[in-house]
């Protein structure tokens, strides 16, 4: 088997979090008196760390970014986390990987508490050896390379691991830690973004992803 451990991004990879994230961003922008950008712009928030997105996409300074992130998390904690759904067939997919003996780990820039709450809500946490997210009080912990590094350390990964994600940040984070990366095309990055980031493999759907991971 090529890999014995699989690290998964969460938003756009395990779950379709578009509704909750878009509504949380919209709430934050409205609270700050900002005009709402087109929906395509709002979906760009899915995946990258929030501080990075509010700064790069909305041109916010440090103080405004901090306030926007707080407002985002206020809405997300109340409602946004539940405005989320696993991709169709995800439970069966994860069960098959688990049954095949693969170690499964979540490595997400989303705060650890939110990631765990969402996965428990959908009864997906049972398939993972570790759920590793960021810590709101430590902005650097949301950087994907940092998340992957922390996950590998906490899980004491010594074998061959691979990262699965839908955005360029997942690819960069994997490569920064010496891992190969699989880009999934059903998420929010798209083929061009993933290829430009240097994804080692691409999977159009869960069927293709399962074939890659299990060498079927």
């Amino acid at each position: 088997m090529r890999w014995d451990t699989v690290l998964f991004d969460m938003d756009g990879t395990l779950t379709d979090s578009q509704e909750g994230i878009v509504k949380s961003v919209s709430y934050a922008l409205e609270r700050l008196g900002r005009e709402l950008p087109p929906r395509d712009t709002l979906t760009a928030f899915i995946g990258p760390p929030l501080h990075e997105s509010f700064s790069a996409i909305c041109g916010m300074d440090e103080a405004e970014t901090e306030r926007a992130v707080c407002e985002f998390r206020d809405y997300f904690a109340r409602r946004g986390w539940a405005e989320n759904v696993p991709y169709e067939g995800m439970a069966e997919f994860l069960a098959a990987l688990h049954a095949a003996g693969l170690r499964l780990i979540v490595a997400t820039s989303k705060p650890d508490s939110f990631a765990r709450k969402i996965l428990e809500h959908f009864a997906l946490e049972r398939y993972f050896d570790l759920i590793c997210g960021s810590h709101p009080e430590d902005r650097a912990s949301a950087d994907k390379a940092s998340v992957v590094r922390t996950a590998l350390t906490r899980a004491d990964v010594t074998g061959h691991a691979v990262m699965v994600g839908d955005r360029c940040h997942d690819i960069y984070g994997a490569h920064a830690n010496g891992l190969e990366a699989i880009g999934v095309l059903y998420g929010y990055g798209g083929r061009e973004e993933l290829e430009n980031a240097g994804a080692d493999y691409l999977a159009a759907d869960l069927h293709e992803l399962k074939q890659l991971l299990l060498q079927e």
Side-chain angles (χ1 to χ4, degrees):
M1 185 175 292
R2 179 180 287 139
W3 305 291
D4 52 28
T5 303
V6 187
L7 282 69
F8 286 93
D9 169 51
M10 189 166 172
D11 294 337
T13 302
L14 295 175
T15 67
D16 185 351
S17 54
Q18 178 174 190
E19 182 178 359
I21 289 178
V22 166
K23 286 185 176 179
S24 297
V25 174
S26 298
Y27 175 83
L29 294 178
E30 288 171 353
R31 293 282 292 173
L32 268 66
R34 287 270 192 148
E35 184 178 346
L36 293 184
R39 189 174 181 85
D40 285 350
T41 300
L42 294 175
T43 58
F45 277 81
I46 302 173
L50 287 174
H51 286 86
E52 176 183 323
S53 294
F54 277 116
S55 175
I57 296 173
C58 301
M60 293 184 178
D61 61 22
E62 183 73 14
E64 199 173 19
T65 294
E66 285 292 342
R67 184 181 167 199
V69 170
C70 287
E71 296 291 359
F72 176 103
R73 288 178 175 156
D74 174 60
Y75 179 91
F76 197 86
R78 290 184 289 108
R79 300 180 60 181
W81 72 271
E83 295 169 332
N84 200 328
V85 63
Y87 285 105
E88 184 175 356
M90 184 57 68
E92 295 79 5
F93 165 75
L94 293 174
L97 299 186
H98 189 267
L102 289 176
R103 291 186 72 197
L104 308 182
I105 296 170
V106 174
T108 175
S109 292
K110 184 183 294 299
D112 190 272
S113 58
F114 286 152
R116 188 172 301 279
K117 185 174 185 178
I118 291 167
L119 292 171
E120 288 176 351
H121 178 70
F122 293 114
L124 297 180
E125 87 289 348
R126 69 186 76 179
Y127 302 114
F128 296 99
D129 284 20
L130 173 69
I131 298 171
C132 184
S134 63
H135 302 284
E137 69 279 5
D138 179 9
R139 185 189 305 184
S141 70
D143 175 76
K144 204 51 179 268
S146 176
V147 172
V148 172
R149 182 168 56 254
T150 300
L152 293 172
T153 300
R154 286 178 56 191
D156 192 24
V157 175
T158 57
H160 297 291
V162 65
M163 178 75 203
V164 178
D166 70 312
R167 299 299 307 274
C168 62
H169 305 75
D170 302 310
I171 310 304
Y172 297 145
H175 290 170
N177 286 278
L179 304 185
E180 290 185 300
I182 300 173
V184 295
L185 300 178
Y186 57 79
Y188 290 91
R191 180 180 295 274
E192 183 177 3
E193 176 178 321
L194 292 167
E195 287 182 340
N196 288 343
D200 300 284
Y201 307 89
L202 294 175
D205 51 34
L206 290 183
H207 176 69
E208 287 190 7
L209 184 56
K210 180 184 174 186
Q211 287 183 315
L212 267 174
L213 293 173
L214 297 184
Q215 296 292 284
E216 294 180 338

